Amino acid sequence: MTDATAATGAPAQARRPFASLLTLDEHTKRRNATEARFKAYGLAAVLAGLFFLVVLFVSIISNGIPAFTRMVVELDFTLTQAQFDEAESQLLKTGAYQGYFVEGFDKALEERGVEVEYDAAVLDRLIGKVGGIMREFYAANPDKIGEEVVFELPTSSRVDGYFNGRLKREDVSDSRFLEASDLDLADELYEAGIIKSDFNWTFITGADSGVDNPGGAGIGASVVGSFFMMIVVLALSLPIGVATSIYLEEFAPKNWFTDLIEVNISNLAAVPSIVFGILGLAVFIQFAGLPQSAPLVGGLVLTLMTLPTIIISTRASLKAVPPSIRDAALGVGASKMQSVFHHVLPLAMPGILTGTIIGLAQALGETAPLLLIGMVGFVARGYPDSFLTGFTEANSAMPAQIYTWAARADASFYEKAWGGIIVLLLFLMTMNIIAIILRRRFERRW
Amino acid sequence: MKTMLTEADNTVATVPAAGPRDTKIKARKVQVYYGDTHAIKDVDVDLEDKAVTAFIGPSGCGKSTFLRCLNRMNDTIDVARVEGEITIDDEDIYDKKVDPVQLRAKVGMVFQKPNPFPKSIYDNVAYGPRIHGLAKSKADLDVIVEKSLRRGAIWDEVKDRLTAPGTGLSGGQQQRLCIARAVATEPEVLLMDEPCSALDPIATAKVEELIDELRESYTIVIVTHSMQQAARVSQRTAMFHLGELVEFGDTKEIFTNPTEKRTQDYITGRFG
């Protein structure tokens, strides 16, 4: 352009040549193109992200939903007092109940007009030995003797898999667990409405059941384990974290020592979680002698992990409170402590709460350190006896339970693992929603 | 305690403004350092009781810094260091025995930018009296709040919405609320750091009127960039330049007949 003006012999203070505003010049065109490209990249990234999110959700839900349903054999059954007395007097009591069950089963088939040949061993393979279950029921509810009772008996995991499509008939190799011909009976029963689909409450309320019984496995006990851990994490990390941040941000002198502490806190946030696990094993279990696999220890380890997150976010939100508010408080004669607790802290509250809940959500999903301190899935065999023993009794936590299930050979545990992930995500979503609500509630308009 | 103060106010109001006034604040050889920067050099000044003293001077001349020395707000800045002697009622405020929190209850401050707490109008004013235990009961506190809001010349505008947030008021109203908040703790000295710089002319006029009324009860020190404002509201004026006190005297004197060339140049707009 300088050349051009020089060539036309323009005066030294070269004026820009006339340019119409109605046409875009080269420079503007290039700038606009760059901007459009940048927007396109952004949009593409968002769309790709959404796509993968949808894929993730679809696969989690489609894999996990079967864990929430199960196939049950529904049977109306009446046990007479005479039968009860007779069974209880025999040597093999559960065997007697099994006999009554087969009788009742035959009657039910007859009533619904199903004509099919089978032997008792097939029933064993389809629903296992139910005599024990029935005896337990009548021992607990003696008043039900003589009344009609509806039994819902879960089918074996293979039959379950056959009905929800996991197991194909042609893949069945005859074994003591299932023979391909058993499925004919299963199909007949399904059409007759004796086998039907039911919501799997055991999965919600149950405990881990052991390698050979996927049907009885539930996530309930490890949800309770996670709950007790979260109580420990919240009760320790929120007060310690907030107090630390207030001291460092508002009261501590700024010198090399506090700088060192600050750098170390930031670094701790990036330490791999398994390191905290082995630290917990060495310090809390081996040195301090706390019980192994206890939610208390898990909570302590996760507290160590959560503290840096809470401290960093709390300090950031304290810093974001405008200094004019501190000046105002000091100006009317408030002490440092009063200005912090009456004015600065309430204003920083939304940020602190958000940071805390993000920290808790992180802790809730942490697996590696729990495996090291013994909170593995198969430990979650039942509910604690009381609230206090909930902290010390061996238990697992949701992510560790999911990990254990995913590692098991039986394919129906795989489905439980996906189901467990759905439960875990529900908890995380709830926590995030609570965070948003609290944030809205505490936010003040300026 | 409160009734006594009210009586004192009345006494002041009835005494004619003329006559020799007492010195409230005395500063001798005050130096302020910000790290290596020598921000205030050798300032000697006597501030009169029940009068308005204006600090004028170009930006960065140290007038705000000096103002913040009077209630030890500079203590909150890590690198700031104050030397020399500042006394209020002949008591050294930098004495080791002085608690700056107690001092600030006696020396109130109004800031450049209106900074009400994000709380209700009532709570804004009631906060000071509450933390200093000035009110025995809720009724007492109500009286103090109303009196302070009246002193801040904002009562009529907010009396129907005391529970509304203070941050919802207009800029001028916010600044008067801050003044009401400052007087609610019954200070003896009121420091104002460019209180009108964020306000429009109408709000400024209201605040200036208010300052003139408050003069009867308080020692007021005001930092301002507006020559007209200094001339309108103050009785005494101190001119600062590059951290030094250039000239200090009666406002009329300073504006009509300055002894220093720099003062003359500044107020006639030749520099600054």
Side-chain angles (χ1 to χ4, degrees), chain B residues 49-238:
Chain B
D49 199 10
K50 317 280 185 244
V52 178
T53 307
F55 289 176
I56 60 171
S59 292
C61 68
K63 49 195 191 312
S64 289
T65 303
F66 184 69
L67 189 78
R68 291 169 67 94
C69 289
L70 302 179
N71 67 345
R72 295 184 56 173
M73 280 299 269
N74 283 334
D75 289 16
T76 58
I77 303 166
D78 280 335
V79 292
R81 194 155 47 84
V82 179
E83 285 173 10
E85 192 189 49
I86 301 176
T87 61
I88 293 181
D89 295 332
D90 294 326
E91 290 176 335
D92 184 0
I93 63 168
Y94 280 89
D95 193 289
K96 279 201 172 58
K97 278 177 274 180
V98 172
D99 183 352
V101 170
Q102 219 174 324
L103 169 71
R104 286 180 205 134
K106 199 170 179 174
V107 184
M109 187 156 188
V110 176
F111 296 85
Q112 179 172 2
K113 214 178 116 219
N115 55 353
F117 300 128
K119 299 184 174 199
S120 72
I121 292 169
Y122 184 95
D123 285 338
N124 259 285
V125 180
Y127 181 68
R130 260 189 205 137
I131 59 170
H132 295 298
L134 296 183
K136 302 241 171 341
S137 63
K138 177 83 172 68
D140 264 6
L141 197 59
D142 289 347
V143 172
I144 293 178
V145 169
E146 180 178 342
K147 195 175 103 188
S148 307
L149 286 171
R150 280 187 193 284
R151 283 239 181 113
I154 193 179
W155 172 252
D156 291 330
E157 289 156 69
V158 301
K159 64 182 174 201
D160 300 324
R161 46 173 174 151
L162 289 175
T163 53
T167 42
L169 298 170
S170 74
Q173 288 173 323
Q174 285 190 13
Q175 194 61 297
R176 278 179 286 146
L177 176 64
C178 290
I179 293 172
R181 181 177 68 190
V183 300
T185 52
E186 304 282 7
E188 293 165 25
V189 180
L190 208 51
L191 307 178
M192 297 182 162
D193 191 355
E194 298 181 43
C196 300
S197 67
L199 306 185
D200 70 11
I202 296 167
T204 302
K206 280 191 181 157
V207 172
E208 283 180 6
E209 210 174 298
L210 175 59
I211 292 171
D212 206 45
E213 284 166 27
L214 294 174
R215 171 165 65 95
E216 293 179 352
S217 333
Y218 305 98
T219 305
I220 295 177
V221 187
I222 176 170
V223 166
T224 178
H225 269 142
S226 153
M227 295 307 110
Q228 292 89 335
Q229 186 172 56
R232 279 193 301 261
V233 300
S234 72
Q235 284 75 53
R236 308 269 283 169
T237 297

Side-chain angles (χ1 to χ4, degrees), chain A residues 242 246 250 317-318 321-322 325 337-353 438-439 441-446, chain B residues 117-119 127:
Chain A
V242 172
I246 290 174
E250 305 283 339
S317 43
L318 287 175
V321 174
I325 292 296
M337 185 103 174
Q338 284 170 328
S339 94
V340 170
F341 281 88
H342 295 170
H343 301 290
V344 179
L345 199 57
L347 288 173
M349 216 52 184
I352 294 174
L353 287 174
L438 286 177
R439 211 193 157 87
R441 229 183 108 59
F442 280 93
E443 209 141 64
R444 288 167 200 246
R445 279 191 306 114
W446 286 88
Chain B
F117 300 128
K119 299 184 174 199
Y127 181 68

